[in-house]
Amino acid sequence: MPGGRQRNLEAEGPEAGAAPEAAPSLPSGSFTSSLSKKTKRRHCRDTMAATVRRQRPRRLACWALMAVLLADLLALSDTLAVMSVDLGSESMKVAIVKPGVPMEIVLNKESRRKTPVTVTLKENERFFGDSAASMAIKNPKATLRYFQHLLGKQENNPHVALYRARFPEHELGFDPQRQTVYFQISPQLQFSPEEVLSMLLNYSRSLAEDFAEQPIKDAVITVPAFFNQAERRAVLQAARMAGLKVLQLINDNTATALSYGVFRRKDINSTAQNIMFYDMGAGSTVCTIVTYQTVKTKDAGMQPQLQIRGVGFDRTLGGLEMELRLREHLAGIFNEQRKGQRAKDVRENPRAMAKLLREANRLKTILSANADHMAQIEGLMDDVDFKAKVTRAEFEELCADLFERVPGPVQQALQSAEMKLDEIEQVILVGGATRVPKVQEVLLKAVGKEELGKNINADEAAAMGAVYQAAALSKAFKVKPFVVRDAAIYPILVEFTREVEEEPGVRSLKHNKRVLFCRMGPYPQRKVITFNRYNHDFNFHINYGDLGFLGPEDLRVFGSQNLTTVKLKGVGESFKKYPDYESKGIKAHFNLDESGVLSLDRVESVFETLVEDSPEEESTLTKLGNTISSLFGGGTTQDTKENGTDTVQEEEEGPAEGSKAEPGEQAEPREEAEAPAEDTSPPPPPEPKGDAAPEGEKTAEKDNGEKPEAQPSEKGEAGAEGVPPAPEEEKKQKPARKQRMVEEIGVELVVLDLPDLRQDELARSAQKLQDLTLRDLEKQEREKAANSLEAFIFETQDKLYQPEYQEVSTEEQREDISGRLHAASTWLEDEGFGATTVMLKEKLAELRKLCQGLFFRVEERKKWPERLSALDNLLNHSSMFLTGARLIPEMDQIFTEVEMTTLEKVINETWAWKNATVAEQAKLPATEKPVLLSKDIEAKMMALDREVQYLLNKAKFAKPRPRPKDKNGTRAEPPLNASASDQGDKVIPPAGQTEDAKPISEPEQETRSEPADSEPLELGGPAAESEQKEQPTGQKPTLKNDEL
């Protein structure tokens, strides 16, 4: 770009142009011999020194930049992995992506691919996953399951009452500040649903980190598509407590659709394909209609895209409700069996009900493949066993009304997508509860297809799609683009009231509704609403739109339909600051981000005025300087920043999608959105910031937090990197231009649906969870130390009776060690439960020090045979190598006498040390500390091998010496076995001439190359010994020819 080239010239100009200045001025006769060579050298030296001095700061800066980049890369290399968590009602799946491991499901500590969403909280310990699920029967009150159903819900929500009815063993307390509930485990132990979810997310991260063998902070978490704003914010707060950086909250149906599309990328083309995903999990059912097709993108060309077209759901239809009905059926059978024994109702026993729920889960799974099965539980209550036969017909009769609700989500999805069943190409089953045969039967009849698609992993599809999205959002990975257009299920609108004058002198209040994000509209998306008729502080409300598609019960579960009240402060002051400017309204910038969470980014008061241009005041060179200055970040920082922001906003400013007023409420168009009339004017010529306002005014703008904002038409031209056009003609056409001033408006948000945790409460919860994590880690460390001590005691006691240990120890030594081990075992049984981690480690270190000598003697004796054999082989091979090296003829010798003498000395010293040390060791008793140590043997081998390797490397890279010429110039006789061509090519040099000789002949090269090419390992085999013996014999004919 022109601006870039100017910037480079500006940066490099002093150095590039410094050569003529730095060159010393030579006298008039400098191009003759009048300047001595010494003087020239001095001038050259001074010139080079000056150049080095000038370049030194630049080199230092370059090295500093490289060091910073390298540090950043090293820091990033430790945290390259990303993870996804598919949070289901009953179980969760965790997947990771790291360098070398693309999209892999994480195995938990039990080597299973899915982990129960269960947490057991006791006074001094916590359990997660399968360990917690096993604790559900022993301690059902402290074992929490299906707690996601309480996220983002106040105490009067029907789902809270439903949770109490399903799990009466849990005591739910009331939080008056947020109107929510929390789990009261004990008088001292209470946790909110967000805190429990945070514990589980932290546990999932620990599983992922153990699997990836590196720390992980970035994650994508799946949530049900029907989660509203309060529920989504609750999940984000839980992740923040766990220290996770949430890249995105992705709807589980979107993640499933993404996984399906990623693995079938080749089947997607420009023809739209409509696929229906029917997902029935443990807690809810969601039906989604997705359209796949390739679209043209701005950056990557034609790429596949999935678009969510329609969504239908049932919050309580799932496998859990079927299991609860089975549990109730089994409880009735058990009570009937004990009717005449005056026994208590089994429903009053939490442990017995936990056992029945586990058996109901097993029954539901087995009845999906069998017509009947026998339910049996040992010691269900009062040591009484339970056994009863349950048929599939009975199960289907119990859940008959649930099966009637199966087609409901399908009809909702079709209505929201405005499609018919004929347009659906395939219906694919997702979720564990879709394995129930009756569900498939009813669904197949409802959709009218020949068969249902089962060509997707019903359990892991969402986790795989979410981790693909995590890799796409992470800066550490590059994945093939796949465009995802999710849809907002619940519409959101803005409501405000203003005074209107319907008749002269008669003023009244008019209530206006403005749709901000329409139902099934795509997100992420930004919107801007402009209020044009306010010049004082006012309030407006953000609420949900028309929720008529929800039933009465779903509306009660949904909660508050009012989201936020926004109170603006400072509107009147902004008008007083700019009395001569024309107001362009109060602009509210909204953002529905990738997680589906709505936020109000900022509110601004915008003013405009016409500014006279004075092109004569600045020369072209001054404009060029200002342009370059702006490229380096000076001059127009605020303006550039504002332009960059508004370039994105202006595309969505103006009438927003679905901006029609509600029926019966017609708002004035000017009030609803910014009038786009200003965009139709021809673009004015770009001018430097200096002309926009005086310097004093610019300073005041910065101090007061004001930001100049250019027109959209100006921004279009400002994108050309500030290249100054030929300005003469345009200046005549446009003598004035518009200047925009932006004033930030103070915002106070009053959350109406569910108040978020305050920052101090959030920090307190995070600290509480961190303390619990540290306590768990300390407990694990203590258990590890106790297990290590106990294992050492048992293993050492067993070793004392093994022959190899008895051989190197006396009876008194073994008795002493045995007595100390017995005392430590007794201490561990009596006092070990109260011992700290440090005490256990000290006790283990004491016992290891006691047995160190015994273990050392045994280990040394085990290593002797192997080490001594290796030393003997190396000595033999080194001696053979030295013998072969001394047999090389003098004219071909590549080793010096000093080198061969040195090798011979090392060989002799090693032989002498080995013989002396072995003899000395033979005189010592086995119970004493050995003098023959394996580390000494290895040191001797390394020293000898180093000398041999030095000579081998020298031979490998040695160049052949030139052959001497014969003084008489006569040719030598060719070898007896040489061919005619060889005789014609070889020339025997005259005797006595040693220079200007040709390279030596092929037989001589072969003779010298053999020792040079031999490797150390080749010396060790029997074949190498035979070759060494045959070499002198094979060289005799060649040596005779050379002597001739």
Side-chain angles (χ1 to χ4, degrees):
M1 294 181 294
R5 287 196 293 270
Q6 293 169 3
R7 174 177 170 178
N8 292 336
L9 289 173
E10 182 75 16
E12 299 178 2
E15 296 178 7
E21 296 177 8
S25 58
L26 299 180
S28 58
S30 60
F31 291 100
T32 64
S33 59
S34 61
L35 193 63
S36 63
K37 293 182 179 180
K38 183 176 182 180
T39 305
K40 291 180 179 179
R41 284 197 299 269
R42 185 172 65 252
H43 280 294
C44 293
R45 186 169 59 252
D46 294 343
T47 303
M48 294 176 63
T51 305
V52 169
R53 283 195 300 271
R54 286 193 307 272
Q55 292 181 352
R56 187 173 298 157
R58 184 182 178 187
R59 291 177 178 173
L60 290 176
C62 292
W63 281 110
L65 180 60
M66 291 178 63
V68 171
L69 291 176
L70 182 60
D72 291 342
L73 289 175
L74 291 176
L76 285 174
S77 63
D78 295 336
T79 58
L80 285 180
V82 293
M83 63 180 287
S84 70
V85 183
D86 178 22
L87 273 177
S89 297
E90 186 176 75
S91 60
M92 68 176 181
K93 278 73 65 180
V94 182
I96 66 164
V97 170
K98 74 170 187 175
V101 181
M103 298 174 61
E104 180 65 28
I105 294 292
V106 172
L107 302 181
N108 60 15
K109 296 179 180 179
E110 289 78 18
S111 297
R112 296 181 180 177
R113 297 175 72 86
K114 64 179 180 179
T115 304
V117 181
T118 309
V119 181
T120 298
L121 301 172
K122 301 174 70 175
E123 291 293 340
N124 298 320
E125 54 187 345
R126 296 184 301 173
F127 299 96
F128 300 95
D130 292 290
S131 301
S134 62
M135 293 290 295
I137 296 175
K138 300 178 183 178
N139 195 347
K141 182 179 180 181
T143 302
L144 309 179
R145 295 177 291 178
Y146 304 101
F147 49 83
Q148 305 98 307
H149 297 173
L150 302 177
L151 288 172
K153 295 179 177 61
Q154 295 184 341
E155 198 268 343
N156 58 357
N157 194 292
H159 264 201
V160 176
L162 180 63
Y163 191 89
R164 283 193 172 108
R166 288 175 170 179
F167 307 102
E169 64 271 16
H170 295 316
E171 181 181 350
L172 297 180
F174 175 67
D175 181 6
Q177 183 176 355
R178 303 179 65 213
Q179 302 294 314
T180 57
V181 295
Y182 57 84
F183 293 100
Q184 187 75 47
I185 309 299
S186 68
Q188 296 80 24
L189 214 60
Q190 61 185 34
F191 298 98
S192 65
E194 290 86 353
E195 290 175 336
V196 179
L197 179 59
S198 176
M199 297 180 196
L200 198 72
L201 290 176
N202 192 36
Y203 175 70
S204 67
R205 180 174 64 176
S206 67
L207 293 178
E209 289 178 343
D210 293 343
F211 193 83
E213 299 178 345
Q214 60 178 281
I216 299 177
K217 291 185 178 180
D218 298 344
V220 169
I221 303 175
T222 68
V223 294
F226 51 77
F227 262 24
N228 57 26
Q229 294 292 311
E231 292 167 317
R232 292 175 187 271
R233 294 201 308 270
V235 176
L236 289 176
Q237 287 182 343
R240 199 174 297 119
M241 292 179 193
L244 277 176
K245 178 184 176 183
V246 179
L247 300 176
Q248 181 182 350
L249 290 183
I250 187 171
N251 295 334
D252 47 14
N253 59 342
T254 306
T256 301
L258 179 58
S259 174
Y260 180 85
V262 164
F263 291 104
R264 291 162 180 80
R265 176 185 290 265
K266 295 181 180 179
D267 300 334
I268 301 175
N269 49 43
S270 58
T271 304
Q273 306 175 36
N274 299 320
I275 307 295
M276 177 182 287
F277 294 92
Y278 193 87
D279 181 4
M280 180 181 287
S284 60
T285 300
V286 178
C287 181
T288 310
I289 298 176
V290 184
T291 298
Y292 294 95
Q293 67 181 132
T294 55
V295 296
K296 187 174 182 180
T297 60
K298 184 184 299 183
D299 300 328
M302 297 296 292
Q303 295 297 336
Q305 171 189 275
L306 72 85
Q307 180 179 1
I308 305 298
R309 300 288 301 278
V311 177
F313 58 89
D314 190 325
R315 282 179 175 262
T316 57
L317 177 61
L320 173 63
E321 185 62 30
M322 301 178 191
E323 294 169 13
L324 291 172
R325 297 194 178 192
L326 261 180
R327 181 184 71 170
E328 190 67 22
H329 177 66
L330 296 177
I333 295 177
F334 183 74
N335 287 336
E336 188 69 24
Q337 291 176 353
R338 303 185 64 201
K339 189 173 183 180
Q341 303 177 13
R342 296 181 179 178
K344 296 181 179 180
D345 189 351
V346 70
R347 298 179 182 88
E348 299 176 1
N349 190 319
R351 290 189 178 183
M353 293 301 286
K355 293 179 182 179
L356 286 173
L357 184 60
R358 185 177 64 177
E359 183 65 15
N361 180 281
R362 191 180 71 89
L363 266 179
K364 185 196 71 173
T365 304
I366 295 178
L367 290 177
S368 298
N370 298 274
D372 55 66
H373 188 68
M374 188 68 68
Q376 47 188 356
I377 304 173
E378 290 186 13
L380 175 58
M381 191 175 69
D382 299 335
D383 295 330
V384 177
D385 298 340
F386 171 66
K387 193 174 184 180
K389 184 178 181 180
V390 181
T391 64
R392 183 190 292 180
E394 293 176 348
F395 170 65
E396 293 177 353
E397 183 179 354
L398 291 171
C399 305
D401 60 321
L402 298 181
F403 296 138
E404 292 176 358
R405 291 159 54 185
V406 168
V410 176
Q411 300 301 324
Q412 291 181 27
L414 290 172
Q415 290 175 6
S416 61
E418 298 180 353
M419 299 175 66
K420 298 180 180 180
L421 273 173
D422 299 340
E423 302 176 53
I424 305 299
E425 298 184 11
Q426 191 178 10
V427 179
I428 297 177
L429 297 179
V430 187
T434 56
R435 297 186 178 98
V436 176
K438 188 65 175 180
V439 172
Q440 297 182 13
E441 177 186 339
V442 175
L443 180 61
L444 187 63
K445 183 178 179 181
V447 298
K449 301 293 181 182
E450 295 182 359
E451 59 179 357
L452 300 174
K454 303 176 183 178
N455 52 350
I456 192 173
N457 190 323
D459 291 327
E460 300 175 1
M464 298 299 281
V467 80
Y468 186 90
Q469 184 72 355
L473 295 174
S474 172
K475 298 179 181 179
F477 301 95
K478 185 177 181 181
V479 300
K480 292 183 178 180
F482 203 109
V483 183
V484 178
R485 297 193 65 191
D486 211 332
I489 298 180
Y490 308 117
I492 298 176
L493 53 82
V494 171
E495 298 185 31
F496 54 94
T497 304
R498 62 179 176 83
E499 288 186 354
V500 295
E501 187 174 355
E502 298 179 354
E503 298 178 4
V506 179
R507 303 182 66 86
S508 61
L509 294 178
K510 183 176 182 180
H511 189 72
N512 297 276
K513 293 183 179 180
R514 172 77 157 75
V515 175
L516 187 62
F517 298 99
C518 61
R519 171 164 161 78
M520 301 313 298
Y523 74 88
Q525 190 175 177
R526 294 177 182 270
K527 291 289 181 68
V528 178
I529 289 185
T530 303
F531 304 93
N532 284 331
R533 297 190 178 182
Y534 287 97
N535 55 7
H536 54 82
D537 296 351
F538 66 98
N539 304 338
F540 64 89
H541 310 277
I542 307 172
N543 302 323
Y544 288 105
D546 181 17
L547 300 179
F549 58 91
L550 297 178
E553 185 63 26
D554 288 334
L555 277 176
R556 293 182 59 214
V557 173
F558 186 85
S560 173
Q561 299 184 33
N562 301 320
L563 285 171
T564 309
T565 295
V566 182
K567 299 180 179 180
L568 302 183
K569 297 181 180 180
V571 178
E573 287 80 354
S574 67
F575 277 82
K576 294 177 182 179
K577 282 186 180 180
Y578 303 100
D580 300 332
Y581 282 62
E582 179 188 359
S583 173
K584 288 298 180 180
I586 311 299
K587 295 180 181 293
H589 297 253
F590 296 91
N591 179 24
L592 190 64
D593 62 14
E594 294 85 352
S595 300
V597 177
L598 177 66
S599 61
L600 177 61
D601 288 346
R602 65 190 185 278
V603 179
E604 301 169 338
S605 183
V606 182
F607 301 90
E608 275 189 2
T609 187
L610 291 177
V611 179
E612 293 280 336
D613 283 339
S614 52
E616 298 82 7
E617 294 179 1
E618 286 188 338
S619 63
T620 305
L621 182 61
T622 305
K623 293 181 180 179
L624 179 61
N626 289 337
T627 302
I628 294 175
S629 176
S630 67
L631 289 175
F632 282 96
T636 58
T637 303
Q638 292 289 341
D639 196 14
T640 305
K641 179 180 178 182
E642 200 59 35
N643 289 346
T645 303
D646 281 347
T647 301
V648 179
Q649 296 294 339
E650 290 293 344
E651 295 176 358
E652 298 175 1
E653 211 162 319
E657 294 183 17
S659 61
K660 297 180 181 179
E662 296 292 329
E665 294 287 349
Q666 293 294 331
E668 295 185 11
R670 182 175 171 79
E671 193 75 36
E672 291 183 356
E674 181 182 6
E678 50 195 51
D679 293 340
T680 60
S681 60
E687 288 293 331
K689 177 71 178 291
D691 282 346
E695 288 295 324
E697 187 175 339
K698 282 189 249 178
T699 307
E701 288 169 4
K702 286 188 178 180
D703 295 342
N704 296 332
E706 301 159 6
K707 296 183 289 186
E709 179 174 308
Q711 276 287 336
S713 56
E714 292 179 37
K715 292 162 196 165
E717 281 198 25
E721 295 293 335
V723 181
E728 296 300 330
E729 296 180 1
E730 292 192 13
K731 285 173 186 172
K732 296 178 181 178
Q733 296 176 0
K734 277 288 180 180
R737 64 182 177 88
K738 292 181 180 179
Q739 180 192 12
R740 174 177 291 188
M741 305 303 295
V742 177
E743 175 79 10
E744 291 283 348
I745 302 299
V747 176
E748 180 185 351
L749 300 178
V750 180
V751 180
L752 302 176
D753 55 348
L754 182 68
D756 292 337
L757 287 172
R758 298 195 308 268
Q759 289 299 325
D760 57 340
E761 295 177 344
L762 193 64
R764 190 161 52 249
S765 295
Q767 185 61 42
K768 179 170 68 172
L769 298 180
Q770 187 177 0
D771 293 342
L772 291 175
T773 303
L774 292 176
R775 187 195 68 184
D776 292 345
L777 292 176
E778 291 175 359
K779 181 188 174 188
Q780 294 174 8
E781 189 69 18
R782 187 199 170 282
E783 291 176 350
K784 183 178 179 182
N787 293 336
S788 300
L789 176 59
E790 187 177 11
F792 181 84
I793 292 173
F794 288 128
E795 290 176 2
T796 306
Q797 287 176 340
D798 181 64
K799 289 177 180 178
L800 292 177
Y801 296 96
Q802 297 178 7
E804 54 187 1
Y805 287 88
Q806 292 182 348
E807 181 184 356
V808 297
S809 60
T810 62
E811 186 68 27
E812 292 80 7
Q813 292 173 343
R814 292 194 295 273
E815 288 180 359
D816 180 37
I817 293 174
S818 179
R820 301 280 289 274
L821 291 174
H822 180 73
S825 178
T826 304
W827 173 84
L828 187 61
E829 292 177 358
D830 297 341
E831 305 177 16
F833 294 101
T836 63
T837 305
V838 176
M839 295 172 62
L840 294 170
K841 289 184 176 180
E842 288 177 351
K843 182 69 70 174
L844 179 60
E846 179 184 344
L847 294 179
R848 282 179 173 170
K849 184 177 180 181
L850 174 66
C851 305
Q852 183 178 2
L854 174 63
F855 293 162
F856 178 75
R857 294 192 293 273
V858 173
E859 290 299 321
E860 285 296 320
R861 288 183 171 269
K862 288 181 179 179
K863 294 177 181 178
W864 282 349
E866 180 184 355
R867 298 290 193 278
L868 289 174
S869 176
L871 180 60
D872 289 341
N873 288 335
L874 184 58
L875 285 169
N876 293 332
H877 295 154
S878 302
S879 301
M880 294 168 58
F881 172 76
L882 179 61
T883 303
R886 291 189 181 278
L887 291 178
I888 299 176
E890 183 177 354
M891 66 173 56
D892 297 331
Q893 185 59 263
I894 57 177
F895 306 124
T896 64
E897 184 62 29
V898 174
E899 293 171 343
M900 290 187 288
T901 304
T902 303
L903 176 59
E904 183 177 11
K905 181 181 177 181
V906 174
I907 292 174
N908 294 336
E909 289 178 352
T910 306
W911 273 116
W913 174 86
K914 184 245 181 185
N915 294 331
T917 308
V918 171
E920 184 179 357
Q921 179 62 45
K923 297 176 183 179
L924 288 176
T927 57
E928 296 293 332
K929 182 180 179 179
V931 296
L932 180 62
L933 304 179
S934 58
K935 64 177 184 178
D936 295 340
I937 301 176
E938 293 174 356
K940 292 293 181 181
M941 291 176 64
M942 289 178 62
L944 180 56
D945 185 66
R946 183 168 57 249
E947 294 296 330
V948 176
Q949 288 295 333
Y950 171 75
L951 298 182
L952 286 175
N953 290 333
K954 183 178 180 181
K956 184 179 295 185
F957 299 104
K959 295 182 179 180
R961 293 183 179 180
R963 305 302 300 164
K965 294 183 179 180
D966 190 2
K967 290 183 179 180
N968 299 329
T970 57
R971 291 180 179 269
E973 295 181 6
L976 298 177
N977 58 351
S979 62
S981 61
D982 294 339
Q983 295 178 15
D985 292 339
K986 296 177 185 177
V987 178
I988 303 299
Q993 295 186 12
T994 58
E995 296 181 2
D996 301 332
K998 288 188 176 181
I1000 56 179
S1001 58
E1002 287 188 7
E1004 294 162 355
Q1005 290 175 358
E1006 293 174 358
T1007 304
R1008 277 193 297 274
S1009 64
E1010 286 179 2
D1013 293 338
S1014 59
E1015 296 291 339
L1017 295 177
E1018 294 179 359
L1019 296 173
E1025 297 179 5
S1026 62
E1027 289 177 4
Q1028 291 284 346
K1029 294 178 181 179
E1030 294 175 1
Q1031 266 187 353
T1033 307
Q1035 288 176 354
K1036 286 182 180 180
T1038 306
L1039 293 175
K1040 286 182 179 180
N1041 290 334
D1042 290 341
E1043 291 171 0
L1044 288 176

